[in-house]
Structure formats: C-alpha cells, structure tokens
Amino acid sequence: MAEAQYKYLERVASPDDLKRLSVAELKEYVKELRAYIVECCATNPGHLGSSLGAVELTVALHYVYDTPNDRIVWDVGHQAYAHKIITGRREAFKGNRTRGGISGFPRMEESRYDAFGAGHSSVSISAAFGMAKAIEMQGGKEHVVAVIGDGAMTGGLAFEGLNNAGASPKSDLLVVLNDNEMSIDKPTGALDRYLVRMSTSRWYNSLKRNLWKGLGVVPPVHRLVRKTGNAIKQGLLQNSNLFESLNFRYFGPVDGHNIDELIRTLRALKDIGGPKLLHIKTIKGKGYAPAEGDPATWHAPGRFDVATGERVKSNYAAARYQDVFGETLLDIARRDCRVVGITPAMPSGCSMNIMMREMPDRCFDVGIAEGHAVTFSAGMAAAGHRPVCNIYSSFMQRAYDNVIHDIALQNLPVVLCLDRAGLVGEDGATHHGAFDLAYFSCVPNLVVAAPRNEWMLRQMLYTATQADYPTVIRYPRGIGEGVEWQNRPFESIEVGRGEQLREGNDVAIITIGTMAGRALRAAERSGASVAVYDMRYAKPLDTKLIDEVASTFRHIITIEDGIIRGGVGEAIAAHILQQGYNPSIVNLGIDDRFVEHGKPSELYADCGYDEEAILEMISKMQEQR
C-alpha cells in the first residue's frame, strides 16, 4: 500500500486524534497502521512480527485510556511499533533504529508516552506495579497497564512482580497478557502448556462469551461474571487459576484482533480496581501472510519485498560467529556424551538449533529465564555433565549473581558462551554487550576468553569443554574474518597465553578478540613499524607477554570492543604500572557512557576505535617519538 493511499493514518498524530475516530473507522485505521509498519520495516528492518500482532491491542489501549496521564508499560518493546506511530512518531518511524533516529524500543527520554524504557523482557509488571503503588500513595486516579508478551511471562521477574502486586489489593494495575504462543522461537515450559489449556477449553470459552456480553453495560454484572467465571474456570480446569491464586482477577481469554471486544473489555476493566489480568490471544505477524506463516523468521526478518514476501538474502563473505558456535558445539557433542546445550529462548538466535535438530534430548531451551539457565547449567555440571550455556552478552547481565554464586564459587565446569558481545548495532544501548569483559574479569575461578576469528572460537570452545573449571567465551554478532575453520582438527589452546601477530619496533598494539583484525589492517596501512599482539584471554592475563611489550616499546595502544573502565586495557595498564615500566599507554574502547543505536561501523567511529581512529592514534604516538 503506497502512503498516498492512506486515508486515516495521517489524521492520527496523537491518541486524542485516535479518539475522534468511530469504532468502524478504527477498523480501517488498523489495516492502514499494519500496512505502514510492514512498508517501513521492508526497507528499514526491525522487529516486525510482534508489533503486527499487537496493532488492535495498541489502538484499543490508546482509545480507552487517557495516555500519557494513564501509563502503558510495554514489555521488551518488540510490540511497541504501533504505539510509537500513534503517539506522534509516524514520520520518525521511517528512521526507526537508525543513527540519530528513534529507538526500536520504548524510551522515557524519547516521548512522554513512553512510560518506561524496556529492551529486556519481563520488566513490565514490576515497573507498572511500582507506578501504580506510587499513584495510590499520592492519592491519584491514573490507571497503569502492563503489556507483557512474546514469552516474557516465563521470566522470573514477571512472577516476582505478580506475587508482590497481588498482595496490594488497592493498587490499580492491569496486566495484559498478549499470548501469541511465541517468543522469538516457539516457547517451551509448563506455563505455555497451561495457557494453551486455559485458552482452548471449549465449554469455558462458549459460556465466557455469553457472560461478557453484559459486561460494561450493566455494572452489577461485573461481580456476577467474576464469581461465575472463576467457578467455571476452576471446575473446567480442575485446579485453581494460576493468576487468581496470586490474587489477580483473571479475565479472558479474549480475541486480541477483535477491536470491538477489546474496547468493550478494556472499558469495563477500567472501572474495576485492584490488580487484574486480561488474557488476550493474538497471532504473531497478523495481517501479513509471510509473517503469520513463519513467525520465528519474521520476528526480525531484515529487508524484504512487501509484495512477494521475499527476504533480501545476505551473501556472507564468511561464516557467522553464531553458526561457527552451533556447528562446533554439535561436533564436540558427537565426540563427548557429557556435553549438553542450554539457552534461554534463543536457540535460533545463537544457532544452538543446529545441535537441537540432531540431539534434541541433549539441548534445553529453558524460556526467557537467564538466571535459571545459568543455575540449571550449574546443576548439570555438578552431576557430571559439561553444559554449554549460550546467552547474549547483554542478557547475561541479568544472571550475574547466578554465575558468581552457583558456578564460580563452586568452580563448576560450565562453559558460558556470550553471543552478541561488543557493539551490536541497531538495537542500541539495551543490547550492546559492552560490559562482560569488565564484569567477569573480576570474578575468581572464571577463565574469560575472546577469539579473534572463527577458527579460534572453535578451538576455544573445544578447550573449554575439556576443562574442569568454568570458562566464559565472548564473541560478536555477525560474520567472521573468513579463515578456514571447519576442516581443521580440534586443538587445545594454552589458557592464559597470548601471541604476537605482527612484528614492529615503534608502537605496540595489544588487542583482545576480534579487534585483532582491525589492528592488523590499521598497522599495515600506517606504514610504521607497528607490532600487534592478541591477548586471547582477558583472564588470566598473559603477564609475561605484557612484560615483554612494556620493556620493549615506549608507546602502547590497547583495543577492546567493550567498556574501558574495568576492562582489559586498564588491567594491562595496571600491571605495567605495578611492574615499574614507564611507556605511554592509550586505552581504546567504549568510554563511560551508554552507546546509542546505529550501524556498527558508525558506532565504532563514534567510540573512537574503528580503523581510522587506530591509524590516527598510531600517527600521534609516532609524533611523540
């Protein structure tokens, strides 16, 4: 649909404009809104499927509630594209996730309609309850709604929020469970089966529809519906409702694509105080056939042709690091029956699905529960297995205590693989893996490794699975250096030993991870006599190599794809100072700030450690000679 054909889209620049439309007009607006999201995401990729599934819900929420006075807290933010467009960012949405453009996730500093920022899952209920409790204490009348979906209800934080909010009967909180039976991949676990059982009870749903016809028309019916509904649910399901047991009044399931029913239901619930939960059923990718047919792929499909649904294929010049991990894990598992794979709802994102296809009984998707994934891995290690737990670097932050208390303290042989380490690009500050080198290098018993290319990732993973202690391996998103990795035998790497990659006399560059390739290219271009070293391990540091460099060179540059404060460069500088050497040292990496979204190449330049920045620093150091 060309933008010139939109009849209602341009009439809505705020929720107030939305309220001027009739319900019949809303149905046409919903079609245009969905088409506009598809059109924009086709050329400017983003999280498509989840937002398509939440269009009717978003429209109904802004139609019924008085936003921004009433607060809507979006979980994760994958569902929030329609919200951004309705709240005055229609034109800005064309530059969604681009450098200088709006974020792909809700951000408080971006709009007064973004009640709370969210890039990680399961935060909405706790944050919304905090708002509702504050409003209650202040004597306010504003409403608070938490919208949780995409598998986020499996996260432990969601249950902590439910448990706490359920004990506060005067706090006006509505939790909308947007149940699309998906996260990024198909969800797993007892909660998913429970929701399916609740939503597919034929007798209950038939009677529920009849009861809800009166809701919102005759106020006294509220109590009857609630009491009758609870009794029916308990009788049909033969156990108490999970949410009712947490003192949430449960309503639903409701068709999340029926705008009339959603508006009628939300208006009724608006007049019911206390904690309540509305269970809606939606289809991920709704309204765009390719996305409905393959919701996992179309969660974030990249560029595509709107008319045909054909995705623009990327011709990778080299293997993706995640695929090197997945193929290598399977190869190791074939050789070692102790090896198992664990991931918190990211089997396709980290390529553990490669092993899952051949060895489903030795792979475990534990749901969006990073802390549990780590402690579950620790338990398996304690019982004699060799768990390989893959979690995105930024998500591992949520399991930090579990790593320290359950793995490191007990020195259990768990391999923690951190995909998406360093600057990841368009997902921005909530997803950059900026801190792992700093926050893990200070933990006793942990070995922290960072491969510079595909072959080294393969060998480091093999080495780690043979060890009797825990190892962290961090590597970036995207493609590798193009080195041969599949047809070479496994070799154990000497842990804590770096290596020299290029000889030189004037300036030394010490790198960690994939920064080695960038440093080598800059050194070649510089025309200077520049030596390049790869530490390979952030912990333990190769102090012998550092001593050799510090005693030989007057000028040293360290480079890491992570935060400088507490990082590898500072650890190298501290050792040099302690040993009494006196070279000039410059640490390149991310300074003390959160990095915004944009293409990785743009962000490297912004942070001052792209190839050009390295060249400039080499030149400056030569001038000091």
Side-chain angles (χ1 to χ4, degrees):
M1 181 184 292
E3 190 170 352
Q5 295 179 281
Y6 292 133
K7 180 178 179 181
Y8 296 100
L9 193 72
E10 293 186 357
R11 289 170 54 181
V12 177
S14 71
D16 287 340
D17 295 331
L18 188 71
K19 290 177 171 65
R20 296 187 182 98
L21 300 181
S22 67
V23 175
E25 289 174 319
L26 285 182
K27 294 176 183 178
E28 296 304 313
Y29 174 71
V30 161
K31 294 177 183 177
E32 293 185 1
L33 184 54
R34 186 171 271 123
Y36 183 70
I37 292 172
V38 171
E39 178 186 304
C40 291
C41 288
T43 56
N44 182 33
H47 293 99
L48 179 64
S50 302
S51 282
L52 290 181
V55 171
E56 287 89 353
L57 172 63
T58 307
V59 170
L61 285 170
H62 282 293
Y63 197 72
V64 171
Y65 286 92
D66 179 27
T67 56
N69 295 319
D70 293 334
R71 278 88 157 178
I72 301 174
V73 180
W74 297 92
D75 210 284
V76 182
H78 292 162
Q79 311 168 90
Y81 285 0
H83 161 78
K84 293 204 169 203
I85 294 167
I86 291 170
T87 55
R89 288 168 277 183
R90 185 183 67 246
E91 285 300 310
F93 186 71
K94 295 175 181 177
N96 183 45
R97 302 173 79 244
T98 61
R99 186 182 179 209
I102 62 173
S103 169
F105 303 101
R107 297 187 63 177
M108 293 179 69
E109 62 268 37
E110 185 177 292
S111 171
R112 62 196 182 106
Y113 290 97
D114 291 359
F116 198 79
H120 294 184
S121 79
S122 312
V123 304
S124 61
I125 298 174
S126 294
F129 174 51
M131 295 177 189
K133 175 57 71 174
I135 291 169
E136 176 193 339
M137 294 173 67
Q138 296 160 9
K141 300 298 182 183
E142 299 90 348
H143 302 279
V144 183
V145 180
V147 182
I148 187 167
D150 258 17
M153 191 64 89
T154 63
L157 184 60
F159 284 94
E160 292 175 23
L162 287 170
N163 181 61
N164 192 205
S168 184
K170 294 182 180 179
S171 298
D172 185 8
L173 171 65
L174 171 63
V175 174
V176 179
L177 172 55
N178 181 14
D179 178 8
N180 60 14
E181 298 184 7
M182 288 290 294
S183 53
I184 292 177
D185 292 288
K186 191 73 176 174
T188 61
L191 178 62
D192 176 61
R193 291 192 293 272
Y194 175 80
L195 293 175
V196 169
R197 191 158 54 91
M198 285 188 71
S199 61
T200 55
S201 175
R202 186 171 58 190
W203 291 351
Y204 163 63
N205 279 286
S206 176
L207 187 52
K208 180 267 299 181
R209 282 193 295 271
N210 294 328
L211 288 169
W212 272 92
K213 287 181 181 178
L215 191 60
V217 179
V218 185
V221 173
H222 292 181
R223 289 188 296 275
L224 174 62
V225 169
R226 189 166 66 249
K227 292 179 181 178
T228 306
N230 292 347
I232 294 168
K233 282 177 280 190
Q234 291 184 24
L236 290 177
L237 300 179
Q238 298 181 342
N239 60 9
S240 63
N241 181 295
L242 170 66
F243 303 110
E244 296 277 356
S245 70
L246 293 169
N247 293 327
F248 269 74
R249 302 179 190 183
Y250 173 89
F251 300 91
V254 169
D255 181 357
H257 300 303
N258 185 326
I259 193 75
D260 299 272
E261 187 174 12
L262 282 173
I263 290 173
R264 183 173 63 249
T265 302
L266 289 171
R267 280 175 172 164
L269 293 179
K270 194 175 178 182
D271 296 329
I272 301 175
K276 47 202 172 289
L277 184 140
L278 173 62
H279 180 188
I280 72 169
K281 295 289 292 182
T282 60
I283 298 170
K284 190 167 183 175
K286 174 69 175 178
Y288 188 58
E292 287 190 36
D294 186 2
T297 298
W298 286 84
H299 175 78
R303 292 181 177 83
F304 60 94
D305 183 283
V306 175
T308 65
E310 184 177 353
R311 297 168 62 219
V312 177
K313 295 181 180 180
S314 299
N315 296 316
Y316 299 122
R320 297 184 301 173
Y321 281 105
Q322 68 179 70
D323 295 331
V324 175
F325 162 81
E327 295 285 357
T328 301
L329 178 62
L330 176 59
D331 288 346
I332 294 171
R334 287 168 175 158
R335 298 163 57 110
D336 189 340
C337 63
R338 301 174 303 167
V339 172
V340 293
I342 297 100
T343 183
M346 293 291 175
S348 62
C350 74
S351 292
M352 194 174 286
N353 57 351
I354 293 172
M355 179 177 169
M356 281 181 170
R357 286 193 289 267
E358 182 172 322
M359 302 178 178
D361 57 331
R362 290 171 61 184
C363 290
F364 305 90
D365 179 352
V366 301
I368 304 178
E370 294 86 0
H372 166 63
V374 167
T375 303
F376 176 69
S377 299
M380 296 201 81
H385 279 280
R386 286 291 186 271
V388 176
C389 180
N390 194 305
I391 302 178
Y392 291 3
S393 172
S394 65
F395 299 163
M396 179 59 85
Q397 294 160 189
R398 317 185 86 189
Y400 190 54
D401 177 66
N402 303 75
V403 174
I404 294 174
H405 183 270
D406 302 331
I407 292 178
L409 185 63
Q410 303 181 97
N411 204 29
L412 290 169
V414 176
V415 183
L416 300 170
C417 289
L418 309 190
D419 200 331
R420 272 66 165 175
L423 296 177
V424 299
E426 292 83 355
D427 282 338
T430 58
H431 283 59
H432 293 316
F435 306 108
D436 56 80
L437 285 172
Y439 69 61
F440 275 147
S441 292
C442 63
V443 180
N445 287 341
L446 287 186
V447 166
V448 182
R452 67 175 179 266
N453 56 36
E454 304 94 310
W455 176 83
M456 189 160 289
L457 170 57
R458 184 173 174 85
Q459 304 312 321
M460 282 181 168
L461 184 54
Y462 172 74
T463 302
T465 58
Q466 307 308 302
D468 292 323
Y469 47 78
T471 302
V472 174
I473 306 175
R474 58 107 65 178
Y475 51 90
R477 180 184 186 182
I479 63 173
E481 295 290 320
V483 303
E484 171 58 43
W485 60 277
Q486 285 181 301
N487 299 314
R488 298 170 68 174
F490 283 121
E491 300 175 15
S492 290
I493 293 178
E494 185 178 356
V495 173
R497 289 292 295 169
E499 60 181 316
Q500 185 172 5
L501 305 180
R502 187 179 194 271
E503 294 184 348
N505 299 307
D506 299 334
V507 178
I509 302 178
I510 303 178
T511 70
I512 185 78
T514 54
M515 297 300 97
R518 189 172 306 168
L520 284 169
R521 290 188 290 272
E524 291 290 341
R525 290 176 56 195
S526 71
S529 183
V530 179
V532 178
Y533 298 84
D534 174 20
M535 292 301 296
R536 303 199 301 188
Y537 287 87
K539 184 173 183 285
L541 279 175
D542 186 348
T543 54
K544 182 179 178 181
L545 182 149
I546 297 170
D547 289 339
E548 291 174 357
V549 173
S551 62
T552 304
F553 293 88
R554 292 181 55 202
H555 304 290
I556 300 173
I557 302 170
T558 71
I559 312 173
E560 58 200 295
D561 191 11
I563 200 80
I564 294 173
R565 181 70 62 87
V568 176
E570 283 198 349
I572 291 171
H575 176 80
I576 289 173
L577 179 63
Q578 289 169 357
Q579 298 304 310
Y581 301 111
N582 194 33
S584 63
I585 304 174
V586 174
N587 301 135
L588 299 184
I590 302 170
D591 56 14
D592 190 18
R593 64 186 172 107
F594 290 109
V595 180
E596 297 301 316
H597 50 277
K599 288 183 170 55
S601 59
E602 297 170 337
L603 302 182
Y604 292 137
D606 285 346
C607 293
Y609 62 104
D610 66 338
E611 199 170 310
E612 299 304 319
I614 299 169
L615 272 170
E616 183 179 348
M617 187 55 63
I618 293 172
S619 178
K620 285 182 178 179
M621 286 192 156
Q622 282 192 297
E623 291 173 2
Q624 297 173 13
R625 224 174 17 175

